[in-house]
Amino acid sequence: GAVVSQHPSRVICKSGTSVKIECRSLDFQATTMFWYRQFPKKSLMLMATSNEGSKATYEQGVEKDKFLINHASLTLSTLTVTSAHPEDSSFYICSATLRGGAEAFFGQGTRLTVV
Amino acid sequence: EDQVTQSPEALRLQEGESSSLNCSYTVSGLRGLFWYRQDPGKGPEFLFTLYSAGEEKEKERLKATLTKKESFLHITAPKPEDSATYLCAVQASNTNAGKSTFGDGTTLTVKP
């Protein structure tokens, strides 16, 4: 299967600061990537669809000014959590599809803790 | 609105004790139904894609089946290393390929 790499795997930041999470497709080009958030013992909640070269599409209820998404190349999408607060602490996961197909491959996730 | 419901929420088995996990779904046109395995602190690992009712797929001790309303993940003679959370997801045909709606998962524990 295709490989999606996410970095960092864990990050702790102070309240009020911003954190950037990277999602890379290592062996394929991904015109579309997806960002999810997962709460403990809960499923993945789609936050936004990241499109290369254009603005991201956010799901209802997700603050686009707080969760900035940039998809500058066919292999890299970034999620920046701006002015982070403790309630933003969560597990963030990205995914990408191969050649626009349906099968999505996931990164290893980023555990964000805001203190 | 697309919905995915998985049951049971948790399942404890003895090694070698076969069982099935259920995924019930409603979707406005199914592009595909997906099964993933997720270990604690990790991203989901792709297992299977099913596209149409009647389809079946197998991989080692796992077999996935699909009907028009639900999917089953059958685990035959499980081993402790099969312990994980199993996630089911659907994609609607009228959305971006790759955009998935997930169930809450079934956490499987296999005791030796």
Side-chain angles (χ1 to χ4, degrees), chain B residues 4-9 22-24 35 86-88 102-106:
Chain B
V4 178
T5 303
Q6 290 188 246
S7 62
E9 184 176 321
N22 177 263
C23 170
S24 297
W35 283 98
Y86 290 85
L87 298 170
C88 173
F102 281 82
D104 285 345
T106 294

Side-chain angles (χ1 to χ4, degrees), chain B:
Chain B
E1 185 180 331
D2 304 332
Q3 286 192 321
V4 178
T5 303
Q6 290 188 246
S7 62
E9 184 176 321
L11 181 63
R12 299 169 69 90
L13 301 173
Q14 287 297 128
E15 184 171 3
E17 180 186 1
S18 301
S19 188
S20 296
L21 282 55
N22 177 263
C23 170
S24 297
Y25 67 92
T26 56
V27 65
S28 53
L30 181 69
R31 171 182 286 120
L33 183 140
F34 306 84
W35 283 98
Y36 293 89
R37 168 188 172 133
Q38 186 176 28
D39 292 300
K42 304 287 186 183
E45 175 190 342
F46 173 78
L47 293 174
F48 302 110
T49 307
L50 300 166
Y51 293 105
S52 57
E55 190 174 358
E56 298 182 353
K57 294 225 175 134
E58 285 190 70
K59 179 181 178 180
E60 297 180 354
R61 295 178 292 282
L62 301 176
K63 178 180 177 180
T65 61
L66 180 66
T67 71
K68 289 186 177 180
K69 293 184 178 180
E70 59 190 350
S71 176
F72 290 94
L73 184 65
H74 306 278
I75 302 177
T76 302
K79 298 181 177 182
E81 53 261 43
D82 294 323
S83 297
T85 295
Y86 290 85
L87 298 170
C88 173
V90 297
Q91 290 183 24
S93 54
N94 61 350
T95 63
N96 286 5
K99 181 179 178 181
S100 303
T101 299
F102 281 82
D104 285 345
T106 294
T107 299
L108 173 66
T109 304
V110 182
K111 296 287 191 180

Side-chain angles (χ1 to χ4, degrees), chain A residues 10-29:
Chain A
R10 287 178 175 272
V11 59
I12 300 173
C13 71
K14 291 186 177 181
S15 190
T17 63
S18 296
V19 173
K20 181 184 284 188
I21 302 169
E22 294 186 348
C23 179
R24 293 181 184 273
S25 55
L26 295 188
D27 51 359
F28 67 102
Q29 293 182 332

Side-chain angles (χ1 to χ4, degrees), chain A residues 22-76:
Chain A
E22 294 186 348
C23 179
R24 293 181 184 273
S25 55
L26 295 188
D27 51 359
F28 67 102
Q29 293 182 332
T31 54
T32 304
M33 292 184 175
F34 303 89
W35 286 96
Y36 294 84
R37 182 173 179 175
Q38 187 175 32
F39 293 98
K41 299 190 184 297
K42 285 294 182 183
S43 189
L44 282 73
M45 180 190 77
L46 180 66
M47 299 175 65
T49 302
S50 171
N51 302 296
E52 188 270 335
S54 64
K55 291 183 179 180
T57 304
Y58 291 82
E59 295 300 301
Q60 194 170 11
V62 177
E63 298 177 63
K64 62 181 180 181
D65 293 331
K66 178 162 195 60
F67 299 101
L68 300 180
I69 291 172
N70 184 275
H71 195 150
S73 77
L74 287 171
T75 59
L76 174 64

